[in-house]
Each structure stands twice: as C-alpha cells, then as structure tokens.
Amino acid sequence: MLLWLGQLTSQLADRIYVYVLMIIVYQLTNSNLGVSLPLLAFGIPSVLIAPWAGIFVDKLDRKWIMVVTDILRGLLILLIIPLITKSVALIFVVSLLIYSAAQFFAPAETSSIPELVDRKNLIVANSLFMITWMASSVVGFGLGAPVVNLLAEKGALLAAAVCYFISAASILLLPLK
C-alpha cells in the first residue's frame, strides 16, 4: 500500500504540474504552440533518459532512488514557484530536470513490486500498478483545472510539490532491502 500511495501521489503531481505549466506557458506566450513546450519537456526524457535509467536502478538502491527523485522533483517545483512567470526557457529547463528525475522513479518502483508482494499476488499488484498509472493520467489532468481554480497556479504547483513529498515519505517507510 505504501508503494501504491507513492506511485499515486507522484503521478498525480506529475500530471498536475504539466497542466499548470500549460496554463502558465499559454499566459506567457499567448501561443498554442508554446503550450507544447511542457509536453516536450515531459516527453523528451522518456526517450533520452529512460533507457539508461533502468541500468542505474539495477545497480543502486531502489528505495533511495524513489525517495531522492521525489524529493528532488518537489524541491525543483518549490524553486521554480517564485520564478514561474519570468521565463518560458526556465520553465522548460526545470521541467526537463523534473521529468528526467522521473525516469528513474518508474523502473525503481516496478522492480520493487516483486520484493513487496507474495508471488501469488504479483499479477494483482502489477495490474494495480498499471491501472493506477493509466488512471492517474486521466484523473491528474482532470484534477488540474479544479486545483488551479481553487489554489491558483502557484498554489497548484505547491500542491504538486507536497504530493511528491508525500510520495517520498510513504516510500521511505517501505521495507525494501
């Protein structure tokens, strides 16, 4: 359950962050094309870093990889909050860093499931992982609008950072070797 909570809060934070960035970048550029920058920052690390991330995850402590990447992503968001309306380039660079760190989280998480779940429950646990991954995309983007309406852009970014810290705390409690 702790790993699942970590996955859920981390992925919700990812999606809320992208949603807020699309709004902010549109406000800065008044361009639909500009809105593609957060999506590029979200996608580029998947292509360039993800293939290498699995190698590092196999060599290092998975629990600490997840904790450190969550804390790093939360801190990067906190760093960018006061600067968010200043520069699209800054938003792009920080987003690249956040989503580059995210590439290490997923393989560490998926490779931790067999250590935490009995073999007979592995199919159910893997199914829960995939359902959560897909549902968080829909729900995370769907939550973006109400969160921004309720908290404004900077408050929504703060909420995303808090989600990353909740994820790190839940994963810190995992009994991984």
Side-chain angles (χ1 to χ4, degrees), residues 50 53-55 57-58 62 66 102-112:
I55 295 168
V57 167
D58 286 343
R62 294 181 314 265
M66 290 184 284
Q103 299 311 307
F104 293 87
F105 185 91
E109 178 186 27
T110 55
S111 63
S112 297

Side-chain angles (χ1 to χ4, degrees), residues 108-167:
E109 178 186 27
T110 55
S111 63
S112 297
I113 293 172
E115 187 177 332
L116 296 168
V117 177
D118 291 333
R119 186 172 175 86
K120 65 182 179 176
N121 295 323
L122 200 52
I123 292 173
V124 173
N126 285 329
S127 296
L128 179 62
F129 168 81
M130 289 306 298
I131 289 168
T132 303
W133 185 70
M134 297 304 285
S136 69
S137 292
V138 174
V139 173
F141 285 125
L143 278 177
V147 170
V148 169
N149 287 340
L150 182 65
L151 303 174
E153 288 88 355
K154 290 182 180 181
L157 290 172
L158 181 61
V162 168
C163 284
Y164 283 129
F165 296 139
I166 290 170
S167 177

